Amino acid sequence: MTLRLPTLVCLLPLAAAMAAGAAGCGGSDAGQPQAAAAVAQCPAAHLAGWKQVSTHAGIPVYCPAWLPSPLEPGINTGKTPGAENATVEYSRDRSYLVSWIWAEAQTGEVHVILRGYPGRTTIPTCVLTGSGSSASARHRVPCFADRHGTITVGNIHATLYTVNQGADQWHLLYAWQHNGSLYTISQHVAAPLGVPQVKADLHRMLQNLVLVDAST
């Protein structure tokens, strides 16, 4: 298995793939049964790592009790993300990004990201640089955009976004609020995983998120 960090090219642009027939496109998930909250626990072997993230961010964090194969919910203090352990990045506002990535030549890629934004519920903005004659132009856009419906899983009421920036580019992303903070989970749409499978994976991950609070 060879890990390579450059993003694989998606089979279809994400917006086009969503329009081509992904379940729930173009509106809310009205009429669909709500997903039932699963009874899940943060794996004991990884709980300490998630408590460290909670301590640093100053808010509860969501530990995934399930991730798509071959990812595992460990926390890595190193700089290179992998399948068994995620890397964690913090910003000056204490927001965090937890990232797992697995990639293999001729096989594909699995990439999942969890984020938390302490004390804010608004969508952050990202800086984009123009191309061609406007290569030096810089402007701000929402980091998460193009809403495609909602899903309720237990106490999580999440909105699906399909046009995302930064590390979440070419990902499907769900965002929700808890106790005055914004949280997101996203997964890359890349071979061999298409939109329907990534959306199903995200639903299952939402069902298996466990809130970890280092202050309790």
Side-chain angles (χ1 to χ4, degrees):
M1 191 273 286
T2 302
L3 179 66
R4 55 189 185 88
L5 296 182
T7 303
L8 298 182
V9 177
C10 296
L11 297 179
L12 288 172
L14 188 52
M18 291 292 297
C25 290
S28 69
D29 293 337
Q32 298 183 12
Q34 291 185 341
V39 176
Q41 293 183 338
C42 187
H46 306 308
L47 183 58
W50 287 99
K51 285 189 174 182
Q52 288 179 6
V53 178
S54 174
T55 297
H56 195 289
I59 57 172
V61 300
Y62 286 89
C63 164
W66 181 87
L67 289 169
S69 179
L71 306 183
E72 297 180 16
I75 296 290
N76 182 8
T77 58
K79 298 296 184 182
T80 304
E84 292 144 4
N85 291 292
T87 55
V88 186
E89 299 177 14
Y90 299 100
S91 299
R92 284 181 292 181
D93 63 357
R94 293 184 295 115
S95 61
Y96 64 87
L97 180 154
V98 183
S99 174
W100 297 261
I101 188 168
W102 171 90
E104 189 171 60
Q106 311 303 320
T107 300
E109 176 185 303
V110 184
H111 186 197
V112 169
I113 293 174
L114 278 166
R115 292 180 182 267
Y117 297 86
R120 70 173 297 166
T121 56
T122 56
I123 293 175
T125 58
C126 292
V127 176
L128 296 186
T129 302
S131 58
S133 60
S134 61
S136 61
R138 293 164 62 86
H139 58 282
R140 287 189 171 273
V141 299
C143 293
F144 321 129
D146 196 19
R147 295 169 56 128
H148 274 75
T150 61
I151 184 172
T152 298
V153 180
N155 294 324
I156 295 175
H157 184 67
T159 300
L160 174 64
Y161 294 92
T162 64
V163 178
N164 306 298
Q165 308 299 331
D168 298 292
Q169 191 173 33
W170 303 114
H171 286 218
L172 296 184
L173 179 145
Y174 278 100
W176 68 96
Q177 300 175 17
H178 171 74
N179 198 26
S181 295
L182 177 70
Y183 296 86
T184 72
I185 188 168
S186 74
Q187 183 173 343
H188 188 198
V189 179
L193 305 178
V195 167
Q197 183 59 58
V198 168
K199 195 173 182 183
D201 284 350
L202 285 167
H203 288 186
R204 185 169 177 182
M205 283 186 274
L206 284 169
Q207 291 172 341
N208 286 277
L209 291 179
V210 181
L211 204 59
V212 173
D213 189 348
S215 67
T216 60

